[in-house]
Amino acid sequence: MKQTEDRQQLHYYLHAHQIESIFNSPLIAQLSLYNFDQGEIICAQGEPSQYLYILVKGKIKIYTTSLEGKKLILSFKTPLELVGDIEYVQGIDIINTVEAVSSVNMIGIHYDSLGKYGSDFTQID
């Protein structure tokens, strides 16, 4: 995983996927852009969950591993998809392993920042 400091590219993805309006200004300041190489694990089953990710480019696979070590692929995802949302809401460890199938770009925000800057945010249309 590589964290990119390219704010212009981050804003490009927010605009291209029409999701900039779901974040308030303090939250946007906390967003980071992450790059994952093909085959890289984004998050692993059973590990502590710390980030909410939004898949904005590439393809990921989500799978679970049985006690016997067998992998069961649950799904493949392409943009736009959330990773870590269930874990954030329930306050639990990572449920399934998420792996990059191709080169992947994800917008990420740490759960602490999400709670601090997003808990009182309500969007008015």
Side-chain angles (χ1 to χ4, degrees):
M1 170 182 73
K2 291 173 263 184
Q3 183 175 351
T4 304
E5 298 300 326
D6 187 346
R7 300 302 290 176
Q8 185 175 355
Q9 188 175 23
L10 173 71
H11 287 282
Y12 164 79
Y13 284 125
L14 290 172
H15 181 73
H17 293 291
Q18 301 175 351
I19 57 175
E20 64 263 278
S21 65
I22 65 171
F23 299 103
N24 60 27
S25 295
L27 269 177
I28 288 179
Q30 300 300 312
L31 297 177
S32 297
L33 188 61
Y34 296 93
N35 306 103
F36 295 88
D37 294 327
Q38 181 179 359
E40 192 171 354
I41 300 297
I42 296 163
C43 52
Q45 181 178 339
E47 290 185 352
S49 183
Q50 298 179 7
Y51 288 89
L52 175 70
Y53 291 110
I54 303 167
L55 176 63
V56 291
K57 181 182 175 195
K59 185 176 183 179
I60 59 173
K61 73 176 170 183
I62 302 170
Y63 62 90
T64 189
T65 306
S66 70
L67 295 174
E68 298 82 29
K70 295 184 180 184
K71 293 180 182 178
L72 172 64
I73 296 175
L74 303 174
S75 62
F76 289 92
K77 302 286 185 180
T78 56
L80 276 170
E81 284 295 329
L82 288 176
V83 173
D85 54 328
I86 294 170
E87 292 83 353
Y88 175 71
V89 171
Q90 295 184 0
I92 58 175
D93 291 342
I94 301 293
I95 299 171
N96 300 304
T97 299
V98 179
E99 180 181 327
V101 174
S102 65
S103 177
V104 166
N105 289 343
M106 300 184 101
I107 296 171
I109 185 165
H110 196 279
Y111 288 165
D112 292 342
S113 296
L114 191 57
K116 182 176 180 181
Y117 299 106
S119 62
D120 293 332
F121 178 62
T122 55
Q123 181 178 354
I124 300 172
D125 291 314

